[in-house]
Amino acid sequence: MSDSTLSGGLSVSTAADWFSLLKPRVMSLVVFTGAIGLIVAPTQINPLLSFTAILCIALAAGAAGAINMWYDADIDAVMRRTASRPIPAGRITARDALGYGIVLSVLSVLLMAMATNLVAAGLLAFSIFYYVFIYTMWLKRSTPQNIVIGGAAGAFPPVIGWAAATGHVSLLPVLLFTIVFFWTPPHFWSLALFASGDYERAGVPMLPVVKGPRHTRINIMVYSVLLLPIALSPYLLGLCGVVYGACALVLSLAFCLYCWRVLTDQQDAQGHSLTSNAPARAAFKFSILYLFILFGACAVDRFI
């Protein structure tokens, strides 16, 4: 991307603009799941090193977000929900955003290596690489399955947190990775249903744009059903206790119900919602709560 993508002169940027480049709402979920991976690990590390590891995960997530905004500045400019971001709005240059993301990426990986171990640092570096090169630069603009394959990028934090504490990877963090991986499609496709106009204008082949809303609803339902046994697997395999198992069952059944409402939303002949995608909006909001409570229950079980 070049700075020529900006229209008009560059406005004065603020600290809030630089912070928004880090995609703080996405970062909060990444930091939380990474912290849970560190908390449930069998080996506890110094609180200061734990804080540093979580900070590194946050910096890496933010760095990947900044590079994503640099690369996607052209499509952000034509989508209503992203047009006010700092780069398309002309408050930060694309070049500066790229430099910012690269510096934070290098800093996060080096600091993780010094504070914890090379396994955690290597996983952190790979997660940045995956989000930037595999998802942002390749999958996002080339296939409607972009969020399925690319969803792995957001699933790494619990594995990284665990590795920061132990220096290795075990079955529980892999299961937590799998939960996030299968949670991502129904979460993101719910958003894509009510933001499909933006994606269509930007030429991004999200599933509702390429296959239509009806096909998307079916896929949302399928993934929510697949998620249920996967979410229960840490309990069924004896890696988490009853608190987690009960939360996983109730939350996953509730998520399936939300997705069923998306599937059975009032539709026209082409499958477009007649309710302004109210069920999809509700499912999207619940999906965020779902992951927070589920991972929180995993941490609670660690101390019971």
Side-chain angles (χ1 to χ4, degrees):
M1 296 294 162
S2 68
D3 294 346
S4 62
T5 59
L6 301 177
S7 58
L10 187 68
S11 305
V12 176
S13 61
T14 65
D17 290 324
W18 290 99
F19 184 64
S20 70
L21 278 181
L22 304 179
K23 294 191 173 182
R25 284 188 294 181
V26 175
M27 184 199 295
S28 64
L29 198 55
V30 166
V31 168
F32 180 74
T33 57
I36 295 302
L38 194 149
I39 290 169
V40 301
T43 304
Q44 297 301 301
I45 60 176
N46 179 283
L48 179 60
L49 295 182
S50 296
F51 172 79
T52 304
I54 294 170
L55 175 63
C56 289
I57 292 173
L59 289 175
I67 298 174
N68 171 272
M69 285 202 193
W70 159 75
Y71 191 81
D72 282 349
D74 57 338
I75 61 177
D76 282 350
V78 299
M79 299 203 311
R80 281 193 297 267
R81 67 186 187 88
T82 58
S84 61
R85 284 177 173 175
I87 301 175
R91 299 190 300 274
I92 295 176
T93 67
R95 182 181 304 167
D96 287 347
L98 175 61
Y100 181 56
I102 291 174
V103 169
L104 289 181
S105 295
V106 174
L107 177 63
S108 66
V109 173
L110 290 178
L111 186 57
M112 181 69 90
M114 292 186 292
T116 61
N117 55 73
L118 293 179
V119 175
L123 287 168
L124 190 67
F126 184 72
S127 69
I128 297 171
F129 170 84
Y130 197 100
Y131 185 78
V132 170
F133 293 98
I134 305 298
Y135 171 66
T136 300
M137 296 185 179
W138 175 30
L139 296 172
K140 185 173 181 178
R141 306 191 190 206
S142 64
T143 171
Q145 294 299 310
N146 47 22
I147 202 62
V148 177
I149 308 168
F156 278 109
V159 183
I160 297 168
W162 178 286
T166 64
H168 62 79
V169 176
S170 189
L171 179 58
L172 180 55
V174 170
L175 292 176
L176 295 178
F177 172 98
T178 308
I179 289 169
V180 179
F181 183 84
F182 277 86
W183 165 88
T184 300
H187 163 73
F188 203 92
W189 282 334
S190 295
L191 167 66
L193 277 174
F194 58 84
S196 60
D198 266 352
Y199 289 122
E200 188 171 7
R201 278 190 297 275
V204 179
M206 287 297 176
L207 196 63
V209 175
V210 177
K211 297 291 187 177
R214 196 188 310 278
H215 181 84
T216 304
R217 291 192 184 92
I218 293 171
N219 277 264
I220 288 172
M221 189 70 237
V222 168
Y223 271 91
S224 71
V225 172
L226 292 174
L227 178 61
L228 196 156
I230 293 169
L232 280 170
S233 61
Y235 169 72
L236 297 175
L237 294 174
L239 301 173
C240 290
V242 175
V243 171
Y244 174 86
C247 285
L249 179 60
V250 172
L251 286 168
S252 297
L253 288 173
F255 195 25
C256 286
L257 177 60
Y258 273 91
C259 293
W260 173 257
R261 290 171 177 168
V262 174
L263 178 65
T264 58
D265 188 15
Q266 297 179 48
Q267 306 160 41
D268 63 16
Q270 288 72 45
H272 298 288
S273 174
L274 298 176
T275 65
S276 298
N277 281 302
R281 294 175 192 273
F284 175 75
K285 291 177 182 178
F286 180 78
S287 67
I288 298 171
L289 184 65
Y290 171 92
L291 206 63
F292 270 110
I293 297 177
L294 186 68
F295 273 64
C298 187
V300 169
D301 263 347
R302 173 71 173 81
F303 298 104
I304 294 178

